[in-house]
Amino acid sequence: MEFSTGFGWTRLPVLAAAFILGSVLTVSAQIIPPFSPPAAAPDEEAEAADTPDVNDPDVLKGIDVDKLDWGQLAIDAGTLNDLIAAKKRAQAAANDGMNWSSNANANGSSAVTVKQSVSSFWDARIGADMTVTSEPRTMSELLAQKAANGGNLPQSSGSAWAAATAPGAGPIWDKTAVEARVDPGAEQSKLGASLTKSVPLSGDTSLTLQNGYSVNQQGTTAVPGIGGHITRNYETDQSAKVTLTDTGTSITAGQTLSTTDDKWLRKFGAEQKLFDNVTVSGSVGETSQGAINKSLTAGFKKSW
């Protein structure tokens, strides 16, 4: 932020001296109160104590105004910008630290998520999603955890992930997103990438095109007599989303193809914003078995 004035910083000491001199004259004018008839008050002594007196000590006594260092007030705009930039860097460093969050599940476990920013240039992040179980301390807690988990005790599990968002390639696409996830307990891993292109149609309408590609890998644990093996599934998806900003409506149409299916599976969905932080969305899509999958959800999102 830069400040400019027609007087210039060189006249700031003169203005400050004039301000202090005016304040001193005002205080001196208030030392002798104007004559007013006595008013009835419950505590006249307290009122008389608050009235300024000529015998009050002078706060400027012993201070030579001519020897004051007025240069302390001469802070140029460049120095002020450096202070603001340093404050912003400190806030960014605090936000880039490791963030933890935890939510309790109904079966007695806790969902723990940890993430940390690696690079602000490409918006690179790493993290882990974990399900942490606690040992039951009493028989009632043991029975409650088994009842909430289908008769078995909940098991701890977790997966590590890394994600990055990078610029696109000129007019071809706008944004590139890459994500990798590994779940050692389930012997699963996934590597995916998506390319996004946004095209404005009018002042309040926009079209977003997205192509996604992913590789899912599933391994099996080797047992005596049977060796483990790895299977891979390749998947691609294409979608187009039209957003109407004025009405808060978005319509999406897309299709998905994977190596486990022999045809494209189409999907159509819509989302409507009812009012602040509340949305309703529905979708209709095909499945590999030939049935139609329908869903209708409502969501509320609030950030502090």
Side-chain angles (χ1 to χ4, degrees), residues 200-275:
L201 301 180
S202 64
D204 59 345
T205 307
S206 62
L207 172 64
T208 302
L209 304 175
Q210 180 172 314
N211 288 340
Y213 310 90
S214 63
V215 180
N216 298 277
Q217 180 173 292
Q218 177 68 59
T220 58
T221 305
V223 296
I226 302 176
H229 64 280
I230 297 175
T231 59
R232 292 185 179 90
N233 178 32
Y234 298 90
E235 183 176 321
T236 179
D237 62 89
Q238 302 171 353
S239 66
K241 180 179 180 180
V242 177
T243 304
L244 305 176
T245 307
D246 289 348
T247 61
T249 306
S250 60
I251 302 173
T252 305
Q255 57 182 0
T256 304
L257 177 65
S258 64
T259 54
T260 56
D261 303 322
D262 56 354
K263 62 177 181 178
W264 287 93
L265 302 179
R266 292 177 291 272
K267 183 178 181 180
F268 177 82
E271 182 178 281
Q272 177 64 51
K273 182 178 181 181
L274 299 181
F275 44 89

Side-chain angles (χ1 to χ4, degrees), residues 115-291:
K115 61 182 179 179
Q116 183 176 8
S117 176
V118 178
S119 172
S120 59
F121 178 72
W122 270 21
D123 191 18
R125 307 168 304 280
I126 58 174
D129 300 328
M130 298 169 286
T131 300
V132 182
T133 61
S134 59
E135 294 293 334
R137 293 170 295 182
T138 61
M139 182 58 66
S140 60
E141 291 183 0
L142 177 63
L143 297 177
Q145 291 186 9
K146 286 187 175 182
N149 201 49
N152 299 319
L153 286 176
Q155 302 295 324
S156 299
S157 61
S159 61
W161 55 268
T165 302
I172 302 177
W173 69 85
D174 300 331
K175 183 177 66 174
T176 304
V178 180
E179 181 178 1
R181 181 177 292 270
V182 178
D183 188 347
E187 297 187 9
Q188 294 179 349
S189 61
K190 180 180 180 180
L191 176 63
S194 63
L195 310 177
T196 306
K197 175 68 175 179
S198 297
V199 180
L201 301 180
S202 64
D204 59 345
T205 307
S206 62
L207 172 64
T208 302
L209 304 175
Q210 180 172 314
N211 288 340
Y213 310 90
S214 63
V215 180
N216 298 277
Q217 180 173 292
Q218 177 68 59
T220 58
T221 305
V223 296
I226 302 176
H229 64 280
I230 297 175
T231 59
R232 292 185 179 90
N233 178 32
Y234 298 90
E235 183 176 321
T236 179
D237 62 89
Q238 302 171 353
S239 66
K241 180 179 180 180
V242 177
T243 304
L244 305 176
T245 307
D246 289 348
T247 61
T249 306
S250 60
I251 302 173
T252 305
Q255 57 182 0
T256 304
L257 177 65
S258 64
T259 54
T260 56
D261 303 322
D262 56 354
K263 62 177 181 178
W264 287 93
L265 302 179
R266 292 177 291 272
K267 183 178 181 180
F268 177 82
E271 182 178 281
Q272 177 64 51
K273 182 178 181 181
L274 299 181
F275 44 89
D276 290 343
N277 306 318
V278 177
T279 58
V280 176
S281 60
S283 63
V284 178
E286 297 176 335
T287 61
S288 57
Q289 293 79 16

Side-chain angles (χ1 to χ4, degrees), residues 12-201:
L12 182 58
V14 178
L15 294 177
F19 176 78
I20 294 177
L21 181 58
S23 301
V24 173
L25 294 178
T26 302
V27 173
S28 301
Q30 292 178 353
I31 292 178
I32 303 177
F35 174 77
S36 60
D43 191 357
E44 296 181 356
E45 295 181 358
E47 184 179 356
D50 295 337
T51 303
D53 190 4
V54 294
N55 296 323
D56 290 342
D58 187 3
V59 295
L60 297 178
K61 184 179 181 180
I63 299 178
D64 189 355
V65 180
D66 297 334
K67 294 183 179 180
L68 293 178
D69 186 8
W70 299 102
Q72 298 295 330
L73 299 176
I75 301 177
D76 57 0
T79 304
L80 184 60
N81 290 336
D82 293 340
L83 295 176
I84 296 176
K87 184 177 181 180
K88 290 183 178 180
R89 288 193 298 268
Q91 292 177 351
N95 295 332
D96 291 342
M98 186 174 295
N99 297 323
W100 291 81
S101 63
S102 176
N103 296 315
N105 297 326
N107 60 358
S109 62
S110 298
V112 180
T113 301
V114 55
K115 61 182 179 179
Q116 183 176 8
S117 176
V118 178
S119 172
S120 59
F121 178 72
W122 270 21
D123 191 18
R125 307 168 304 280
I126 58 174
D129 300 328
M130 298 169 286
T131 300
V132 182
T133 61
S134 59
E135 294 293 334
R137 293 170 295 182
T138 61
M139 182 58 66
S140 60
E141 291 183 0
L142 177 63
L143 297 177
Q145 291 186 9
K146 286 187 175 182
N149 201 49
N152 299 319
L153 286 176
Q155 302 295 324
S156 299
S157 61
S159 61
W161 55 268
T165 302
I172 302 177
W173 69 85
D174 300 331
K175 183 177 66 174
T176 304
V178 180
E179 181 178 1
R181 181 177 292 270
V182 178
D183 188 347
E187 297 187 9
Q188 294 179 349
S189 61
K190 180 180 180 180
L191 176 63
S194 63
L195 310 177
T196 306
K197 175 68 175 179
S198 297
V199 180
L201 301 180

